Amino acid sequence: MPELASTPPSVLVAHPGRAMLALGLGSFAIGTGEFVIMGLLPEVAADIGVTIPQAGHVISAYALGVVIGAPVLAVLAARWGRRALLVALMLVFALGNFASAAAPGYASLNALRFVAGMPHGTYFGVAALVAAGLAAPGQRARAVGLVMTGLTLATLLGVPLAAWLGQLFGWRAAFVLVGGIALLAAAMIHREVPAIAAPADASPLRELDALRNKQVWLTLGIGAIGFGGLFAVFSYVKPTMIEVAGLPLAGVPVVLALFGLGMVIGNVLGSRLADRALMPTVGGMLAWSIVVLVAFVFTAQSVVLGSINIFLIGTVVAIGPALQIRLMDVAGEAQVLAAALNHSAFNMANALGAWLGGVAISAGLGWTSTGWVGALLALAGLGVFAWAVVDARSRPAVGHKGPVRVTPPASGPA
């Protein structure tokens, strides 16, 4: 990939572990900021004077910020150095969260969550490209998975911690915590990630070339629709488990941690499976999603069974690294925009799932109806996947196969 080829290999691989840690911390900050609100919807609703489904619109506002921000920022920043871009994105994210903590009401909170979401997709896209370029042969998905580990660890550690702080000191304290983590991540990225110049021929028009590729759109459609099932359930997991299963409030952080553990395990296994069999992993995870989401309709009556099911729903995130690599493979030279759009798709899924889940609840279908909504979204995603497979078989393969791996010289550091 040109973004990495312009930098001497010995510079890029001098301290890959520390660079990955810095990128992962940024992922951790973003993951905590994205998911913590889902565990604090009742507190947010009570404080700003709206219903819980209306408070769910705050989730959708953030997700829409990602959907819009990822392509816009990726195109506008096509000529930026990669480290400088990552630091700038993390600083904007930090400011957006500090501002969210001071939001006086419903409208301002929605607007500020939209702003906070804008750097999300471009950050993950650029970080994934850098990681994939440093990967050993046959391990691109695992490298992307390492960056995504920060996101999954956020659901295991960051979200429960922030939710606990939110319950103890008010939901605004959770966003202050997220902003602080983001500032630390910006400092670490500046220190540990190598300075990678944009390619000499980089331009907004070259990045926009990705939008002409049907396989790019189909891959994005798989994520935007199929992954929405997870969010349909998880967006309302706290009131569902409290109202239906009788979970005590003190048990909410435990349930959130179980979901995070599922995401961590799913991310690790999904990365390894994707390196072995990319498209079968995508299809298999969509089918698995249908099974666990339907099961939630019935297990949500029990604290124990419902909690186990939420853990299993978390493993659906295994589809993420596979779709990221698929986009790198089909995007040609428009790597940055395509990689960023992957997270636009995931957050469109976030917005779609949260909105449709709220519609079902508001229609009087009950808290567990989110399981049926989620399963239908996963089934629709499986349909888009089948379309993508048929279309790919009818056309020649894309010549450019993602980032060029950067290897050290014989005498360079490992």
Side-chain angles (χ1 to χ4, degrees), residues 225-305:
I225 299 172
F227 204 51
L230 179 149
F231 292 104
V233 169
F234 188 63
S235 296
Y236 303 96
V237 65
K238 180 176 181 177
T240 300
M241 291 300 292
I242 290 175
E243 298 294 333
V244 178
L247 178 75
L249 184 62
V252 171
V254 176
V255 172
L256 296 178
L258 283 172
F259 177 80
L261 180 61
M263 290 187 74
V264 171
I265 293 174
N267 182 62
V268 172
L269 294 180
S271 299
R272 293 179 179 274
L273 290 172
D275 277 329
R276 295 179 181 179
L278 185 62
M279 293 302 278
T281 297
V282 175
M285 290 313 304
L286 289 168
W288 170 246
S289 180
I290 295 171
V291 172
V292 296
L293 290 167
V294 169
F296 186 71
V297 176
F298 306 98
T299 61
Q301 318 295 327
S302 163
V303 170
V304 174
L305 294 179

Side-chain angles (χ1 to χ4, degrees), residues 215-231:
Q215 277 293 315
V216 168
W217 285 108
L218 288 172
T219 305
L220 293 172
I222 294 170
I225 299 172
F227 204 51
L230 179 149
F231 292 104

Side-chain angles (χ1 to χ4, degrees), residues 158-200:
V159 171
L161 173 61
W164 175 75
L165 286 175
Q167 292 172 6
L168 194 62
F169 300 108
W171 62 270
R172 299 174 191 273
F175 286 127
V176 172
L177 173 65
V178 172
I181 298 172
L183 287 180
L184 177 61
M188 283 193 63
I189 291 168
H190 179 72
R191 177 184 174 88
E192 303 295 348
V193 174
I196 304 171

